[in-house]
Amino acid sequence: MTAPLTAGLTSAALGALHARFGGALSTAPAVLEAHGRDESRLDFALPGAVLFAASESDVVDALGLAREHGFPVVPFAAGSSLEGQVVPVAGGLSLDVTGLNRVLEVHPGGFQATVQPGVTYPELNRQVRSQGLFFPVDPGAEATLGGMASTNASGTAAVKYGTMRDNVLEMRVALMDGRVIRVGSKARKSSAGYDLRHLFIGAEGTLGIITELTVKLHPLPAHLVVLRCNFGRIEDAAACAVGIMGAALQPERLELIDEHEIHAVNVHKGASYPEAPTLWIELASPSEVALAEALELCAELCRDAGGRGLATARSAAERAEIWEARHHSYYAMCALYPDHARLSTDLCVPLHRLPEIIAFTRAEADAAELHASILGHVGDGNFHVLFHAHPDDAVTWASIRGVYDRMTARTLELGGTCSGEHGVGLHKRAYVAQEHAGALGLMRDLKQLLDPQGLLNPGKTL
């Protein structure tokens, strides 16, 4: 019997990996440490080795060696997830796919691009912008498309264009048994067979590893404007968002950011936004006349809902500044409290329930005397809460967990979900059991069928 080595790899397994991959395999301490955590910084575990894959065959061969030697495999790319998805809790091999970073094909007439999983969404947008196209899913970090598909990522544009599930047409997926299968179709719709594509999107690398994706592209909007409006209470801003969606304005983006996050952004960016609950609403139209009409109606809805301080951003530079501030709000709060640990979560409810759950969450946090900030993609009922405290403050962290449990329980009571876009990872497995109690057994059966040894990203999702 082979003697065990640290972090889930035996000496025989490590030798086999070295023999196959040579210098692409690393056990350098700094490399191992960089692959032991994600953006949340809540969890840490060292892998036994890191493989920098350069091809689909590298992925297939790595899975073959894992099957032979019985070690775990955890896919890794940008490491920007927030729920611990890439943390190798059982050690083993961290399979880094950032080297699979080529845009393979762009078909402007078909509004689609085929990419490797290590391509980031900003890089894809840089390459297709000259053709008048863009990819709309924008979670904020320099996330890779493979990782975004694995977590069913979303972003500020989801209210108009949907999540990764709505924007991935086809994928190649490497399975634990050595097969590589194609799921989905490059056609815009299909009624042929079981929908395996959506089985792997959001599976967090627990069922297979994505090696290629074909994604939808969309025409760049012709005319854009961003309307900013602040409110006295956060639930009033949420209610206004519901009204805007009901007016059929079809905003490109509809974002809420509370006074705590606005303050952090002002400090971090040297900005001077009013420190009050705020809606940022991006509207698009094919003509300036149509855009002016949409803006007038939107402004009227905001004023009727109690909004004040209305301001617009019209130039590309002004709009970019606003969305950069929104995307950097998490990092702004991190910078404001550098010695704190953070717990960032997301929940999603039916849209008409949004004001209620946001008011409930704020009341719970205030009652527990927590400094919790709220923001979100409120046009589709999705919102985020960022908790933070010193890592040694056990009393405050117990309060945070209590509020987290109560707001999630209330979300499920309202017909919502424990995650609209972050995914499950390590942090939300108990809530998945609550949300899908009747189907949990079937989920486990699927996991057993596709990964009978439990080697693909163990400890996540279920």
Side-chain angles (χ1 to χ4, degrees), residues 63 71-76 84-91 93 150-151 176 203-209 425-426 429 447 451 454-462:
L63 293 180
F71 59 79
V73 178
V74 180
F76 187 100
Q85 284 96 337
V86 299
V87 179
V89 290
L93 183 69
S150 291
T151 56
M176 201 66 216
E204 302 184 352
T206 63
L207 302 179
I209 296 179
L426 295 169
R429 289 173 297 168
K447 171 68 171 173
D451 182 21
L455 300 176
L456 281 171
N457 208 3
K460 317 295 170 54
T461 302
L462 301 178

Coordinates of all heavy atoms in Angstrom, one line a residue, residues 63 71-76 84-91 93 150-151 176 203-209 425-426 429 447 451 454-462:
L63 N -7.9 13.9 -14.7 CA -9.0 13.2 -14.1 C -8.8 11.6 -14.1 O -9.2 10.9 -13.2 CB -10.3 13.5 -14.9 CG -10.8 14.9 -14.7 CD1 -12.1 15.1 -15.5 CD2 -11.0 15.3 -13.3
F71 N -7.4 10.6 -5.8 CA -7.2 11.9 -5.1 C -8.3 12.9 -5.6 O -8.7 12.8 -6.8 CB -5.8 12.4 -5.3 CG -5.4 12.6 -6.8 CD1 -5.8 13.7 -7.5 CD2 -4.5 11.7 -7.4 CE1 -5.3 13.9 -8.8 CE2 -4.1 11.8 -8.7 CZ -4.5 13.0 -9.4
P72 N -8.6 13.9 -4.8 CA -9.6 14.9 -5.2 C -9.1 15.8 -6.3 O -7.8 16.1 -6.3 CB -9.9 15.6 -4.0 CG -9.4 14.8 -2.8 CD -8.3 14.0 -3.4
V73 N -10.0 16.4 -7.1 CA -9.6 17.4 -8.1 C -10.6 18.6 -7.9 O -11.8 18.4 -7.9 CB -9.7 16.8 -9.5 CG1 -9.4 17.9 -10.6 CG2 -8.8 15.7 -9.7
V74 N -10.0 19.7 -7.7 CA -10.8 21.0 -7.6 C -10.4 21.9 -8.7 O -9.3 22.4 -8.7 CB -10.5 21.6 -6.2 CG1 -11.3 22.9 -6.0 CG2 -10.8 20.6 -5.1
P75 N -11.4 22.2 -9.6 CA -11.1 23.2 -10.6 C -10.9 24.6 -10.1 O -11.6 25.0 -9.1 CB -12.3 23.1 -11.6 CG -13.4 22.5 -10.7 CD -12.7 21.7 -9.7
F76 N -10.0 25.3 -10.7 CA -9.6 26.7 -10.2 C -9.3 27.6 -11.4 O -8.7 27.1 -12.4 CB -8.3 26.6 -9.3 CG -8.0 27.9 -8.7 CD1 -8.3 28.1 -7.3 CD2 -7.3 28.9 -9.3 CE1 -8.0 29.3 -6.7 CE2 -7.0 30.1 -8.7 CZ -7.3 30.3 -7.4
G84 N -16.5 29.8 -1.3 CA -15.6 28.7 -1.0 C -15.5 27.6 -2.1 O -15.0 26.6 -1.8
Q85 N -16.1 27.9 -3.3 CA -16.1 26.8 -4.3 C -14.8 26.2 -4.7 O -14.7 25.1 -5.0 CB -16.8 27.3 -5.6 CG -18.3 27.4 -5.4 CD -18.8 28.8 -5.1 OE1 -18.1 29.6 -4.5 NE2 -20.1 29.1 -5.4
V86 N -13.7 27.1 -4.7 CA -12.4 26.6 -5.1 C -11.5 26.2 -4.0 O -10.3 25.8 -4.3 CB -11.7 27.7 -6.0 CG1 -12.6 28.0 -7.2 CG2 -11.4 28.9 -5.2
V87 N -11.9 26.2 -2.8 CA -11.1 25.8 -1.7 C -11.0 24.3 -1.6 O -12.0 23.6 -1.5 CB -11.7 26.3 -0.3 CG1 -10.8 25.9 0.8 CG2 -11.8 27.8 -0.4
P88 N -9.8 23.7 -1.7 CA -9.6 22.3 -1.7 C -9.6 21.7 -0.3 O -8.6 21.3 0.3 CB -8.2 22.1 -2.3 CG -7.4 23.3 -1.9 CD -8.5 24.4 -1.9
V89 N -10.8 21.5 0.3 CA -11.0 21.2 1.7 C -10.5 19.7 1.9 O -10.2 19.4 3.1 CB -12.5 21.3 2.1 CG1 -12.9 22.7 2.2 CG2 -13.4 20.5 1.2
A90 N -10.4 18.9 0.9 CA -9.9 17.6 1.1 C -8.5 17.4 0.5 O -8.0 16.3 0.3 CB -10.8 16.5 0.4
G91 N -7.9 18.5 0.2 CA -6.5 18.5 -0.4 C -6.6 18.0 -1.9 O -7.6 18.3 -2.6
L93 N -5.6 17.7 -5.9 CA -5.1 18.5 -7.0 C -5.9 19.7 -7.3 O -7.1 19.6 -7.5 CB -5.0 17.6 -8.2 CG -4.4 18.3 -9.5 CD1 -2.9 18.5 -9.3 CD2 -4.6 17.5 -10.7
S150 N -19.8 27.6 -14.1 CA -19.8 26.6 -13.0 C -20.6 27.1 -11.8 O -21.2 26.2 -11.1 CB -18.4 26.3 -12.6 OG -17.7 25.6 -13.6
T151 N -20.7 28.4 -11.6 CA -21.5 28.9 -10.5 C -22.8 29.5 -10.9 O -23.6 30.1 -10.1 CB -20.7 29.9 -9.7 OG1 -20.3 31.0 -10.6 CG2 -19.5 29.3 -9.1
M176 N -15.6 12.3 -15.1 CA -14.7 11.5 -14.3 C -14.4 10.2 -14.9 O -13.3 9.6 -14.6 CB -15.3 11.3 -12.9 CG -14.3 11.1 -11.8 SD -13.2 12.4 -11.5 CE -11.7 11.5 -11.1
A203 N -23.2 23.6 -11.3 CA -22.8 22.4 -10.6 C -21.5 22.6 -9.8 O -21.1 21.7 -9.1 CB -22.7 21.2 -11.5
E204 N -20.8 23.7 -10.1 CA -19.6 24.0 -9.3 C -18.5 23.0 -9.4 O -17.7 22.8 -8.5 CB -19.9 24.3 -7.8 CG -21.0 25.4 -7.7 CD -21.3 25.7 -6.2 OE1 -20.8 25.0 -5.3 OE2 -22.1 26.7 -6.0
G205 N -18.4 22.4 -10.6 CA -17.3 21.4 -10.8 C -17.4 20.1 -10.1 O -16.5 19.4 -10.0
T206 N -18.6 19.8 -9.5 CA -18.8 18.6 -8.8 C -19.3 17.5 -9.7 O -19.3 16.3 -9.2 CB -19.9 18.8 -7.7 OG1 -21.1 19.2 -8.3 CG2 -19.5 19.9 -6.7
L207 N -19.7 17.7 -10.9 CA -20.2 16.7 -11.8 C -19.3 16.5 -13.0 O -19.3 15.4 -13.6 CB -21.6 17.0 -12.3 CG -22.7 17.2 -11.2 CD1 -24.0 17.5 -11.8 CD2 -22.8 15.9 -10.3
G208 N -18.5 17.5 -13.4 CA -17.6 17.4 -14.5 C -16.9 18.8 -14.6 O -17.2 19.7 -13.9
I209 N -15.9 18.8 -15.5 CA -15.1 20.1 -15.7 C -15.3 20.6 -17.1 O -15.1 19.9 -18.1 CB -13.6 19.8 -15.4 CG1 -13.5 19.4 -13.9 CG2 -12.8 21.0 -15.7 CD1 -12.1 19.1 -13.5
G425 N -21.2 26.4 -2.8 CA -19.9 26.2 -2.3 C -19.9 25.5 -0.9 O -20.6 24.5 -0.7
L426 N -19.2 26.0 0.0 CA -19.1 25.5 1.4 C -20.2 26.1 2.3 O -20.6 25.5 3.3 CB -17.7 25.8 2.0 CG -16.5 25.1 1.3 CD1 -15.2 25.7 1.9 CD2 -16.6 23.6 1.6
R429 N -24.6 25.0 2.0 CA -25.1 23.6 1.8 C -26.3 23.3 2.7 O -27.3 22.6 2.3 CB -24.0 22.6 2.1 CG -22.9 22.6 1.1 CD -21.7 21.7 1.5 NE -21.1 22.3 2.7 CZ -20.2 21.6 3.4 NH1 -19.8 20.4 3.0 NH2 -19.6 22.1 4.4
K447 N -24.9 12.9 -8.4 CA -23.5 13.0 -8.1 C -22.9 11.6 -8.0 O -21.8 11.5 -8.5 CB -23.4 13.7 -6.7 CG -22.1 13.7 -6.0 CD -21.1 14.6 -6.8 CE -19.8 14.7 -6.0 NZ -18.7 15.4 -6.7
D451 N -19.9 10.8 -10.5 CA -18.6 10.9 -9.7 C -18.7 9.9 -8.6 O -18.7 10.2 -7.4 CB -18.4 12.3 -9.1 CG -17.1 12.5 -8.4 OD1 -16.2 11.7 -8.6 OD2 -17.1 13.4 -7.5
G454 N -16.5 10.2 -5.6 CA -16.6 11.5 -4.8 C -15.3 12.4 -4.9 O -15.0 13.0 -3.9
L455 N -14.7 12.4 -6.1 CA -13.4 13.0 -6.2 C -13.5 14.5 -6.8 O -12.5 15.2 -6.7 CB -12.5 12.2 -7.1 CG -12.1 10.8 -6.5 CD1 -11.3 10.0 -7.5 CD2 -11.5 10.9 -5.2
L456 N -14.6 14.8 -7.4 CA -14.8 16.1 -8.1 C -15.2 17.1 -7.1 O -16.4 17.0 -6.6 CB -15.7 16.0 -9.2 CG -15.2 15.4 -10.5 CD1 -16.3 15.2 -11.5 CD2 -14.1 16.3 -11.2
N457 N -14.4 18.0 -6.7 CA -14.7 19.1 -5.8 C -15.5 18.7 -4.6 O -16.6 19.2 -4.3 CB -15.4 20.2 -6.5 CG -15.2 21.6 -5.9 OD1 -14.4 21.8 -5.0 ND2 -15.8 22.6 -6.5
P458 N -14.9 17.8 -3.8 CA -15.7 17.2 -2.7 C -15.9 18.3 -1.6 O -15.2 19.2 -1.4 CB -14.7 16.1 -2.1 CG -13.4 16.5 -2.6 CD -13.6 17.2 -3.9
G459 N -17.1 18.1 -0.9 CA -17.4 19.0 0.2 C -18.2 20.2 -0.3 O -18.6 21.0 0.6
K460 N -18.6 20.3 -1.5 CA -19.3 21.5 -2.0 C -20.7 21.1 -2.5 O -21.0 20.0 -2.8 CB -18.5 22.1 -3.3 CG -17.0 22.2 -3.1 CD -16.6 23.1 -2.0 CE -15.1 22.9 -1.7 NZ -14.2 23.1 -2.9
T461 N -21.6 22.1 -2.4 CA -22.9 22.0 -3.0 C -23.9 21.2 -2.2 O -24.9 21.6 -1.7 CB -22.9 21.6 -4.5 OG1 -22.1 22.4 -5.2 CG2 -24.3 21.6 -5.0
L462 N -23.6 19.9 -1.9 CA -24.5 19.0 -1.2 C -23.9 18.6 0.2 O -22.7 18.6 0.3 CB -24.7 17.7 -2.0 CG -25.2 17.9 -3.4 CD1 -25.3 16.5 -4.1 CD2 -26.6 18.6 -3.4

